[in-house]
Amino acid sequence: MPQLQVHDSADEACRAVAAEMARCAAGGAVLGLATGASPLRVYAELVRRRREDGLSFRRCTCFSLDEYWPMAREDPRSFRQFLRRHLLDAMDLPEERFHSPDGSVAPEQIARHCAEYEARIAASGGIDLQILGIGRNGHIGFNEPGAGRDSRTRRVELAPGTRADAAAEFGGAERVPRQALTMGVATILQARRIVLLAFGAGKRDIVREALEGPVGPQVPASFLQGHPDVRFVLDRGSAGG
Ligand code: GLP
């Protein structure tokens, strides 16, 4: 069963998770990185530790969970650039050890590209610590409701609500890409340790479903219940008191 860690505030929670990531980084860990608002303060704290305490990602390898498709690699709205902007530009991670699904691959190359992404994760030794957020509908990465326990990195359709949530960055929901490349549920579950971040009362109901509801594709985050080392890091709002 997932462990629960409830903090008084999201700030405090994010500092604790950043401290954990920093310890892993010191050992040269393979880190799985998520985008979205939830991990932002974790990344800000890591950047602060880089500047003030000399935290180093020199020995790390990083894999991004997902990416819009189609999406140019240099597009500021891409998840690749999000991770650069909020974290990796400030760190000393060697360029060749930052991996992200490539939203610019041609349709006929997608299957091969996704298989190669899986192979790169395996070749790195596997993900030691995977950071996750959770979508309003229970998605993890871009594994929307319907995603199976055995799913692997692949191209997926985004749910209308997911596109609506990203509308601001794209100037309207209709401009948000309809598809994405994402690590699959099985890819995520292979990480040795998983930390899911969810803050605010708006996440309370879906967090409860993921933790206590039936395990199945209707709430992809519910598959985490079967992982041996997963922790939900919450604030009072998302924990529901
Ligand atoms: C996006 C990302 C997910 C993330 C989710 C929740 O859909 N693909 O990885 O978990 O948003 O985002 P937020 O943390 O902003 O609520």
Side-chain angles (χ1 to χ4, degrees), residues 33-40 65-68 79 131-136 139-144 158 162 165-166 182 197-199 203:
L33 302 175
T35 58
S38 307
L40 273 181
L65 256 183
D66 48 12
E67 183 58 274
Y68 292 110
F79 286 169
I131 303 297
L132 291 180
I134 182 170
R136 281 192 295 145
H139 72 221
I140 46 175
F142 271 140
N143 293 283
E144 301 280 28
L158 297 180
T162 299
D165 284 347
T182 183
L197 308 168
F199 305 123
K203 293 279 169 83

Side-chain angles (χ1 to χ4, degrees), residues 11-209:
D11 269 340
E12 182 190 295
C14 288
R15 278 196 299 275
V17 172
E20 178 176 4
M21 287 181 78
R23 281 193 299 276
C24 292
V30 179
L31 302 171
L33 302 175
T35 58
S38 307
L40 273 181
R41 278 170 283 191
V42 174
Y43 299 156
E45 172 66 7
L46 288 168
V47 170
R48 186 196 67 75
R49 282 170 168 255
R50 167 93 195 120
R51 294 209 178 104
E52 294 174 19
D53 307 334
L55 167 67
S56 176
F57 269 31
R58 200 174 55 243
R59 296 172 54 216
C60 291
T61 302
C62 293
F63 286 92
S64 170
L65 256 183
D66 48 12
E67 183 58 274
Y68 292 110
W69 188 91
M71 179 57 68
R73 273 168 91 74
E74 302 307 319
D75 191 311
R77 298 166 302 184
S78 70
F79 286 169
R80 184 173 179 84
Q81 296 307 323
F82 176 102
L83 290 172
R84 282 206 173 290
R85 195 159 61 242
H86 293 291
L87 177 65
L88 297 174
D89 279 348
M91 308 307 284
D92 56 349
L93 179 77
E95 168 70 24
E96 68 278 11
R97 277 194 261 124
F98 173 34
H99 306 283
S100 60
D102 185 352
S104 72
V105 290
E108 63 276 15
Q109 303 289 335
I110 288 175
R112 196 176 77 185
H113 175 69
C114 292
E116 282 171 4
Y117 201 63
E118 293 275 339
R120 268 194 267 167
I121 294 172
S124 74
I127 292 171
D128 294 304
L129 175 60
Q130 175 67 55
I131 303 297
L132 291 180
I134 182 170
R136 281 192 295 145
N137 60 4
H139 72 221
I140 46 175
F142 271 140
N143 293 283
E144 301 280 28
R149 163 72 181 77
D150 297 330
S151 55
R152 289 281 169 186
T153 302
R154 69 202 184 290
R155 177 168 48 160
V156 294
E157 298 285 329
L158 297 180
T162 299
R163 294 179 67 222
D165 284 347
E169 288 123 78
F170 287 88
E174 71 288 351
R175 296 194 183 157
V176 178
R178 292 177 178 279
Q179 296 183 323
L181 307 179
T182 183
M183 285 187 200
V185 173
T187 321
I188 292 168
L189 291 177
Q190 264 180 351
R192 291 182 188 90
R193 189 192 305 166
I194 299 173
V195 170
L196 183 145
L197 308 168
F199 305 123
K203 293 279 169 83
R204 187 183 59 204
D205 293 346
I206 195 63
V207 162
R208 170 164 297 188
E209 274 191 65

